[in-house]
Amino acid sequence: MVVCYMQVVGSCTGGGTCGVMVFFDQRRYLFGIGEGMQRTFAEWRLHLSRVAAVFLPQLAWSAVGGLPGASLTVAESGVTNLSVVGPAHTSNFIAALRSFVLRPAFTVYECTGDSVQCGDDPIYEDELIRVFAVSVSLPHQCAPAQQQPAEAFATTPPPSPGADSCPVGNPIVQDKNKFFMNLADFLPRKMASKADCEVQQQSAEPCVPEVNYRRVLPPAETSTEVLSYICHLPDTPGKFDPAKAKALGIFGSNCGKLVKGETVANSRGVVVHPHECVSPPVPGPVFIIVNCPDQSYATDLLAHPNFAPYYAEAQHAALLECIVHFTSPDVVNTPQYKQWMNMFKPTVQHIIANANSPSEVVFRSSATLQLKLNLLHPTLFPLPVLPATAADSGVYAPAQGFPPHTRCARNLLKYVLGPPRNVGLDESDLATTKFSVSDTLCEVFEKPDLVECLSEFRASMQLPPLPTSLSLCTDSPQPCPTLPNDSFRVTMVGTGAALPSKYRNVSSTLVNLPCGAPFMCDCGEGTFGQLCRTFGEAGAVKLVSDLIFVFVSHIHADHHLGLHRIFEVRRQCCMSATLPPLVVVGPRQLWFWLQEFGELVDATCRGSPIFTFTDSKCLLKGTAEMPPFKACLANVGVTEMTTARVIHCPNAFGVVVTHKSGWKLVYSGDTRPCDALIEAGQGATLLIHEATLENSMLLEAQAKKHSTTNEAIEAAHKMAVDSVLLTHFSQRYPKVPLLEHCVQDQSEDIAEVLPKCTLVAFDQMVVTRERAAFLAGIQP
């Protein structure tokens, strides 16, 4: 038996997602890939590059939200094809990614929903694992989602009649349930040439023609199918059996030859082959991943015949080792579910992962950094809001009706599946998940020089003395103070580029107006989790319900994949209160993605629209067309909101927001130094500008259409801004970007800009207009 174990990589608590990884020596299999999985992997030092297949439990954002970003990371590691297994219409979901996931190719295995087909034949099989799908759908299949009327999407209507149709079936179908998909096949047939895409240094015009910019997918039914997975590991080959060899007349050295795989002849001249002298293979172990998101699926799931062969005394009962339950608390605590769990043999290990799992601090590295920064300046760097960690072992008691070997999931909890002598739970990695405020403080106070510097700085800022203890917030923090009528509050929700890391999440910036109303610039994957860690869950929900608009600068995945979680939260808020549709401002390609995925999951396309959409082009200065939501801006004191084309990818924009009190805020998005943005933002109060790379990497910055630190500072100087906040740092700088050469080879005027008004952003940092005067003192 090969070495193999399964490990919990997401226990559904502490801002994390649900997931289980099955480990073989050179290959991994991932079950569940919700939003934030990439960052979870970075925190636990796991690697996506060896993942051979991803198994989706359902087409809900909570189950698939991590796949787009993770697929890009897998492609960067050199993997050319990723297998994805899921319910019907998984291929539609993959094809809907075509606007921003261009590199990977996918092999998609779809379950048709036919229980006989899903149970009799493996939906996925290779030399290490055979996976059988158990399909359950809602009793009454929802009708296909209907497209919202064009007026629901403000100034961006659905695709023009001339757009290409893009079938998800032929020519990519290999057989009934298997698809080979290259997302390049879903791009328009007529694309701009490479020469057309070589944009001039100061040109921000798109290089892809407007006509047929995206081919349209055919409508798909809303997916209500949920999959559980029964997984068989390979059999252990039989061993040489001396009794069989003796019966066939093989003795002495000839037995050794058979062991080496050689064919021999006995004394009668009969040829004996090695396989004739081998004991039967030992069947490989079995584990099951059960998915039951709510009560509506429970009845059909518990009665499903595909589980019957694994019940106690049944055909495969002896092979079953472990069952992982991604089952909601309202289901798992019912007598019916407990009774079903007890139908398996009593030695089976049950692991339950849901919202009731013991709370844990998932992103420990980020929390540790935030605690240390709080010692520097408690207002700029507020304490993170983190769950209280559980001290108990998280075992479900048999007295409550559960099987004897039942426990809660914990991050990095292992169950070893082979070799047989090691089978069972392994808690050795749980110690690495512990988080301690006192340990963090001890690490600081063990360095006298650092303590002295912190104390001197706090005294210069007229802050209280350095605390010797910190009370970690486990609930909503104190409400933010009311802003003056001429101020704003900027919270840097995510400050990293391209992909999340331990210390920096991807791009997102929250801005609070004096009236308290918030808006957001970019909304990368994991944004809502970051809001929860900054404001507490209740505070984050209130912020999301109060959002006026979300501006998405461009179509790259790290700038908008958090939107669907925001939509889900607002949808939940609408159950108890009436909210207007959230205004999303972004490039036209974004509308296709939001609409097409919404049709699959029913998140945006049923009942009243959860969002309205405005093309960023409609906010260019001088555009005659007036988006309807501009009237709403006036109600919160915004007198002008304009966009400017920037130099990055096609249809990339920066935005300028002007308040009636006179302040102006500029957000660059991703860009090279751009005259159009500099002109639009002249005299701004605060410029939030990307500074992806250090100054020595100018050529790479030019190639990837990003800015270096010096270029961002120079843009601020040309814009004559009061303050500049640098963000969107490459993850090659895990904590602090390189700044030591920021003013070398620059004019004296630019050198004066850096110490007066330049600040490096950190995740969860809070900046107000009033604090801009002393921002230079916080430079690393």
Side-chain angles (χ1 to χ4, degrees):
M1 173 65 188
V2 296
V3 175
C4 173
Y5 61 90
M6 54 194 301
Q7 187 167 34
V8 176
V9 292
S11 62
C12 307
T13 63
T17 183
C18 282
V20 167
M21 180 90 90
V22 178
F23 289 76
F24 289 90
D25 187 29
Q26 296 296 327
R27 199 173 296 176
R28 313 284 187 264
Y29 303 89
L30 181 59
F31 293 81
I33 186 165
E35 183 177 349
M37 186 62 78
Q38 254 196 120
R39 195 177 188 198
T40 301
F41 268 52
E43 182 65 47
W44 303 135
R45 297 184 179 181
L46 303 174
H47 301 285
L48 284 163
S49 58
R50 292 184 178 180
V51 174
V54 177
F55 297 83
L56 308 179
Q58 62 182 129
L59 292 184
W61 190 249
S62 59
V64 304
L67 181 60
S71 63
L72 289 170
T73 301
V74 169
E76 288 286 349
S77 67
V79 177
T80 57
N81 189 289
L82 179 65
S83 293
V84 179
V85 183
H89 308 306
T90 298
S91 55
N92 287 71
F93 164 57
I94 297 297
L97 305 176
R98 65 197 184 282
S99 295
F100 53 92
V101 180
L102 302 182
R103 282 165 285 183
F106 296 88
T107 301
V108 179
Y109 302 82
E110 287 189 357
C111 181
T112 63
D114 183 333
S115 62
V116 175
Q117 182 274 327
C118 288
D120 291 350
D121 299 315
I123 193 171
Y124 177 88
E125 183 175 14
D126 60 24
E127 68 274 17
L128 293 178
I129 194 169
R130 286 184 300 142
V131 181
F132 299 84
V134 179
S135 171
V136 177
S137 296
L138 290 180
H140 302 287
Q141 181 72 28
C142 296
Q146 299 298 316
Q147 182 172 279
Q148 292 290 341
E151 58 267 20
F153 295 94
T155 56
T156 300
S160 63
D164 290 341
S165 176
C166 182
V168 181
N170 292 323
I172 59 174
V173 179
Q174 184 205 27
D175 56 37
K176 184 179 179 181
N177 303 103
K178 186 175 180 180
F179 301 81
F180 290 115
M181 301 180 67
N182 188 325
L183 293 187
D185 297 337
F186 293 85
L187 296 176
R189 297 188 182 95
K190 182 179 180 181
M191 294 291 290
S193 66
K194 182 177 180 180
D196 294 333
C197 290
E198 292 179 352
V199 187
Q200 295 296 322
Q201 178 72 7
Q202 288 298 324
S203 171
E205 292 302 313
C207 65
V208 178
E210 289 292 327
V211 179
N212 292 350
Y213 183 73
R214 287 288 180 261
R215 298 164 67 185
V216 184
L217 296 180
E221 290 185 348
T222 299
S223 176
T224 65
E225 187 178 15
V226 170
L227 296 184
S228 297
Y229 294 103
I230 301 173
C231 307
H232 287 245
L233 300 190
D235 296 345
T236 301
K239 297 180 179 181
F240 177 73
D241 189 339
K244 286 188 174 184
K246 183 177 180 180
L248 293 171
I250 303 299
F251 305 95
S253 61
N254 281 342
C255 291
K257 293 180 180 180
L258 286 174
V259 171
K260 295 177 181 178
E262 300 177 16
T263 300
V264 299
N266 62 19
S267 58
R268 299 186 300 273
V270 178
V271 175
V272 178
H273 298 276
H275 69 270
E276 299 178 75
C277 302
V278 175
S279 61
V282 178
V286 174
F287 67 91
I288 298 176
I289 307 291
V290 177
N291 295 291
C292 189
D294 57 58
Q295 286 278 10
S296 59
Y297 293 93
T299 301
D300 288 346
L301 176 74
L302 302 186
H304 205 290
N306 288 4
F307 293 115
Y310 305 91
Y311 294 153
E313 309 302 330
Q315 177 186 1
H316 298 306
L319 305 181
L320 183 60
E321 292 289 347
C322 183
I323 303 177
V324 179
H325 303 260
F326 293 142
T327 304
S328 62
D330 63 322
V331 175
V332 80
N333 290 310
T334 61
Q336 295 84 355
Y337 199 88
K338 295 176 186 178
Q339 182 182 5
W340 179 75
M341 292 174 67
N342 280 290
M343 293 176 69
F344 300 95
K345 66 178 183 179
T347 57
V348 170
Q349 178 68 56
H350 296 265
I351 299 173
I352 299 175
N354 58 32
N356 284 354
S357 297
S359 296
E360 298 179 86
V361 178
V362 178
F363 304 115
R364 303 161 304 147
S365 302
S366 174
T368 300
L369 178 61
Q370 189 71 11
L371 288 174
K372 293 178 179 179
L373 289 172
N374 179 265
L375 296 175
L376 180 69
H377 198 294
T379 310
L380 278 175
F381 306 106
L383 283 172
V385 182
L386 300 171
T389 55
D392 61 83
S393 59
V395 177
Y396 285 86
Q400 298 173 329
F402 291 99
H405 299 282
T406 305
R407 62 161 299 152
C408 285
R410 298 291 295 268
N411 287 311
L412 300 190
L413 176 68
K414 289 180 182 178
Y415 188 89
V416 179
L417 295 161
R421 64 180 180 275
N422 296 331
V423 168
L425 281 175
D426 180 354
E427 300 184 351
S428 59
D429 287 346
L430 296 187
T432 64
T433 68
K434 293 181 179 179
F435 176 80
S436 170
V437 176
S438 58
D439 288 349
T440 301
L441 290 177
C442 287
E443 184 180 340
V444 173
F445 285 101
E446 285 174 356
K447 301 174 181 178
D449 292 344
L450 177 59
V451 172
E452 183 180 354
C453 289
L454 288 172
S455 300
E456 291 177 357
F457 174 80
R458 290 175 70 100
S460 68
M461 293 287 114
Q462 299 181 341
L463 295 172
L466 193 66
T468 56
S469 64
L470 293 175
S471 298
L472 189 65
C473 295
T474 58
D475 199 351
S476 297
Q478 293 296 320
C480 297
T482 303
L483 290 169
N485 291 331
D486 61 346
S487 187
F488 54 78
R489 181 186 299 111
V490 175
T491 303
M492 303 305 293
V493 183
T495 59
L499 71 160
S501 72
K502 294 194 298 183
Y503 301 103
R504 296 183 184 273
N505 201 50
V506 288
S507 295
S508 183
T509 300
L510 183 75
V511 181
N512 286 90
L513 298 169
C515 64
F519 66 88
M520 191 174 287
C521 293
D522 283 329
C523 186
E525 180 182 344
T527 289
F528 182 72
Q530 288 285 92
L531 292 176
C532 289
R533 288 182 283 277
T534 306
F535 302 102
E537 185 172 357
V541 170
K542 186 178 188 310
L543 275 170
V544 170
S545 65
D546 292 343
L547 274 176
I548 311 168
F549 67 87
V550 178
F551 168 76
V552 177
S553 59
H554 60 290
I555 195 60
H556 287 167
D558 57 316
H559 291 260
H560 66 80
L561 283 179
L563 276 175
H564 285 289
R565 183 72 179 103
I566 299 296
F567 293 160
E568 286 180 353
V569 173
R570 285 182 68 93
R571 174 73 76 184
Q572 293 166 2
C573 292
C574 286
M575 294 180 181
S576 57
T578 302
L579 297 179
L582 176 63
V583 176
V584 177
V585 181
R588 183 181 178 88
Q589 310 99 294
L590 181 63
W591 183 90
F592 284 87
W593 156 244
L594 296 179
Q595 177 69 4
E596 288 168 353
F597 182 70
E599 288 179 346
L600 292 175
V601 301
D602 197 18
T604 61
C605 301
R606 284 190 172 277
S608 58
I610 202 70
F611 76 96
T612 61
F613 191 84
T614 294
D615 195 320
S616 297
K617 293 188 302 182
C618 299
L619 296 177
L620 289 169
K621 202 168 186 67
T623 303
E625 191 172 2
M626 180 68 69
F629 87 94
K630 275 201 169 182
C632 302
L633 296 179
N635 295 334
V636 293
V638 175
T639 57
E640 187 176 23
M641 176 179 171
T642 59
T643 56
R645 289 194 185 276
V646 295
I647 306 167
H648 186 55
C649 65
N651 291 318
F653 296 85
V655 67
V656 181
V657 177
T658 305
H659 192 261
K660 65 181 181 181
S661 63
W663 58 257
K664 181 190 290 188
L665 186 145
V666 181
Y667 179 76
S668 72
D670 290 7
T671 184
R672 292 286 301 141
C674 178
D675 288 345
L677 185 68
I678 291 172
E679 180 181 351
Q682 277 297 312
T685 310
L686 175 66
L687 166 64
I688 304 171
H689 200 290
E690 73 120 292
T692 307
L693 296 167
E694 61 189 275
N695 300 322
S696 63
M697 302 187 71
L698 176 60
L699 293 179
E700 184 171 342
Q702 291 172 338
K704 294 185 176 181
K705 291 187 168 56
H706 285 297
S707 297
T708 65
T709 307
N710 267 358
E711 289 175 324
I713 295 171
E714 185 173 359
H717 179 67
K718 291 179 178 179
M719 204 179 290
V721 301
D722 293 343
S723 306
V724 58
L725 185 56
L726 304 181
T727 186
H728 195 266
F729 301 111
S730 168
Q731 303 295 9
R732 71 189 70 204
Y733 317 115
K735 292 183 180 179
V736 181
L738 296 180
L739 299 172
E740 58 267 30
H741 303 299
C742 273
V743 296
Q744 286 189 5
D745 303 322
Q746 297 292 340
S747 68
E748 183 178 348
D749 292 337
I750 296 173
E752 292 177 355
V753 174
L754 176 60
K756 290 183 178 179
C757 63
T758 301
L759 184 68
V760 172
F762 291 84
D763 280 17
Q764 299 172 283
M765 185 172 75
V766 178
V767 178
T768 62
R769 185 181 184 183
E770 295 75 36
R771 295 178 195 143
F774 60 84
L775 292 184
I778 318 297
Q779 290 177 40

